[in-house]
Amino acid sequence: LFSENLVDITSGLLNVEDIQSVNLANDTVTMIEQIETFLLSGVYPPAEMDQIKNETTKRIGHIATLSLKFAGAPSLSEPWRRWLSRNPRMELTNLLGMMSRPMNNSESGGNVDSISVICFSKDRAFQLREYLRTLYLFFKGVKNIEVMILYKATEKFEKSYDRLKTLFPTVVWVRETDFSEQLKDMIQNIQSDYLLWGVDDVLFFDDVDIGESLKLLNENDDILCSHLRLSPNINYCHPANAHTTVPSFEVISSSKYKQSADNTYLKFDRYEGSHDWNYPFELCATIFRKNDAISIVNDIEREFGKIGISHPNKLEISGSRLFSDTNEVVHELHRIRHCICVQNPVMTVITINRVQDVCVNPVYEEVDLETLDKYFWDD
């Protein structure tokens, strides 16, 4: 049955992007179903049968989605019909959302004059104040910055957060009660077409042209995100205590931009780098298109359950798993190789305390929360 195109089918089994016709997609689905039949014949214990069926359906779904590019319509795609016959567990609307990522070129892209920020904070009013102060001070090139803080405050730090609300009255303050649901609601309702993730121990120290970053995302669909934390001098990963492989860089600018040595952006292939350089879903000052951020959060919940988006650290860890080299592709944007970063450093992460036990990240030198809170009130 497969003698004429066995090599192509095998390639399609390993990488769905190698499938270039409806007929090849259909033959690959047939091969997958035959493998499934063999596995269900008794090679694996009964407890694993459901997992085999679910993984087979997921793989066929990837191929069925890809086949629509060649078939032109679901009614003309046999792989699509075969996938639907399996009663797939993911909703059809979700799959349709994964099939076609909105274009972000200069004609159909979003508003590049505005950015929204979602920042996570817990018991660190002093650090959060400095995050907000330096963000407003050094962000350039946009007319509007919408900032939302999703925060937790234990009783002894509540008054400090109340004071913060008076210092930054335009910030939207959301007290955490159900992190995952509040997170999804906040992303859906941001006013901008671009989202900057933030955490409260980030500190900006130099001007950064946010407008140019948004223009680059708007004009280049092959760019996944913009890293404000990364610059070519980053060659050490603090959490891993390891040196990184730094990728090569290409100077990039938008169509109506005058470069200078102080505000240049660099494009890089994340697959050339290691550690921080191939860690795109980072919450420390990374900018995504709103639609892409929504898709990623939805993919995390679908792949890892609600627990995957139940805490900032779990959100970042789960997101990094989606983009890992070994993960099954569940959304086309996970394949995007290129990101951008600043040429010169504009921010740092001041890791001097830890307010969670999900990840035991190393700290430079511990400064307790009470001491920092005293600084907050002494100013």
Side-chain angles (χ1 to χ4, degrees):
L1 176 63
F2 303 110
S3 58
E4 295 183 359
N5 59 351
L6 183 59
V7 173
D8 290 338
I9 293 172
T10 303
S11 179
L13 286 171
L14 297 175
N15 184 1
V16 296
E17 295 296 326
D18 290 340
I19 298 173
Q20 297 298 318
S21 71
V22 175
N23 289 337
L24 182 56
N26 200 44
D27 287 345
T28 306
V29 169
T30 299
M31 175 72 85
I32 291 173
E33 289 180 334
Q34 290 192 1
I35 293 172
E36 178 192 36
T37 299
F38 172 74
L39 294 175
L40 295 177
S41 66
V43 176
Y44 285 84
E48 298 183 10
M49 297 299 186
D50 287 341
Q51 182 179 356
I52 292 171
K53 293 177 183 177
N54 289 337
E55 292 301 316
T56 302
T57 299
K58 183 191 299 183
R59 191 64 168 178
I60 292 174
H62 298 161
I63 297 170
T65 303
L66 183 66
S67 73
L68 297 183
K69 181 168 65 174
F70 309 107
S75 61
L76 301 177
S77 170
E78 177 65 14
W80 182 269
R81 184 195 64 77
R82 294 168 71 176
W83 175 73
L84 288 181
S85 70
R86 299 176 67 92
N87 297 315
R89 60 184 175 85
M90 67 177 70
E91 297 179 3
L92 184 59
T93 53
N94 284 342
L95 184 62
L96 290 172
M98 293 191 293
M99 284 162 41
S100 56
R101 190 165 138 257
M103 295 295 290
N104 291 287
N105 56 42
S106 57
E107 295 182 355
S108 60
N111 179 6
V112 297
D113 291 327
S114 174
I115 189 169
S116 295
V117 180
I118 295 180
C119 176
F120 308 113
S121 180
K122 180 184 177 183
D123 287 348
R124 298 198 287 204
F126 174 81
Q127 287 162 276
L128 179 57
R129 183 190 66 184
E130 294 308 291
Y131 170 80
L132 292 171
R133 181 184 66 82
T134 58
L135 181 149
Y136 285 119
L137 178 63
F138 291 113
F139 274 27
K140 309 297 181 182
V142 288
K143 296 178 180 178
N144 182 57
I145 304 173
E146 176 193 35
V147 179
M148 293 177 286
I149 308 295
L150 182 56
Y151 74 97
K152 263 188 170 184
T154 54
E155 184 176 354
K156 59 184 174 181
F157 298 113
E158 283 186 3
K159 290 183 179 179
S160 298
Y161 277 82
D162 288 340
R163 184 187 180 205
L164 273 179
K165 295 173 186 179
T166 65
L167 295 175
F168 299 95
T170 62
V171 169
V172 177
W173 298 89
V174 181
R175 190 182 186 95
E176 181 184 329
T177 55
D178 185 334
F179 182 88
S180 57
E181 292 303 315
Q182 290 171 305
L183 172 69
K184 291 188 291 184
D185 183 67
M186 291 171 74
I187 300 175
Q188 288 285 351
N189 291 289
I190 63 174
Q191 299 301 304
S192 305
D193 294 313
Y194 301 92
L195 170 65
L196 170 75
W197 295 111
V199 290
D200 58 9
D201 52 355
V202 163
L203 186 73
F204 296 94
F205 53 76
D206 204 353
D207 289 348
V208 54
D209 191 334
I210 299 298
E212 172 65 0
S213 184
L214 304 189
K215 293 183 182 75
L216 289 170
L217 289 172
N218 187 48
E219 296 179 2
N220 299 273
D221 284 334
D222 67 329
I223 294 176
L224 175 65
C225 60
S226 175
H227 291 278
L228 302 184
R229 190 180 71 82
L230 296 180
S231 59
N233 66 317
I234 301 293
N235 56 21
Y236 173 77
C237 178
H238 180 239
N241 189 26
H243 290 283
T244 67
T245 301
V246 180
S248 58
F249 300 100
E250 170 193 351
V251 175
I252 185 171
S253 61
S254 63
S255 57
K256 297 180 180 180
Y257 188 69
K258 295 181 179 179
Q259 293 179 4
S260 74
D262 296 328
N263 55 19
T264 303
Y265 279 88
L266 304 174
K267 181 179 179 180
F268 64 93
D269 184 339
R270 63 187 179 89
Y271 288 177
E272 290 183 4
S274 69
H275 297 85
D276 295 358
W277 289 104
N278 192 8
Y279 193 73
F281 193 71
E282 180 184 30
L283 300 184
C284 297
T286 305
I287 302 173
F288 283 88
R289 303 170 185 90
K290 173 184 176 178
N291 290 331
D292 288 351
I294 292 172
S295 295
I296 293 169
V297 171
N298 288 341
D299 287 344
I300 292 172
E301 185 174 20
R302 179 168 47 251
E303 289 296 299
F304 307 114
K306 189 173 182 178
I307 193 172
I309 58 171
S310 62
H311 184 277
N313 292 86
K314 292 179 181 179
L315 174 67
E316 184 175 282
I317 292 169
S318 299
S320 69
R321 290 175 63 188
L322 284 182
F323 286 95
S324 68
D325 297 338
T326 58
N327 184 56
E328 288 273 350
V329 176
V330 294
H331 194 295
E332 67 175 65
L333 69 87
H334 301 166
R335 287 263 188 204
I336 298 178
R337 304 170 64 101
H338 294 105
C339 304
I340 56 175
C341 69
V342 292
Q343 177 166 302
N344 298 311
V346 298
M347 57 146 287
T348 188
V349 183
I350 310 295
T351 314
I352 55 175
N353 47 43
R354 188 168 53 239
V355 292
Q356 49 77 34
D357 55 10
V358 173
C359 293
V360 187
N361 293 327
V363 299
Y364 297 122
E365 183 174 344
E366 188 79 28
V367 180
D368 63 80
L369 299 176
E370 289 75 14
T371 298
L372 289 175
D373 199 56
K374 185 176 183 299
Y375 295 156
F376 175 78
W377 286 98
D378 286 346
D379 281 356

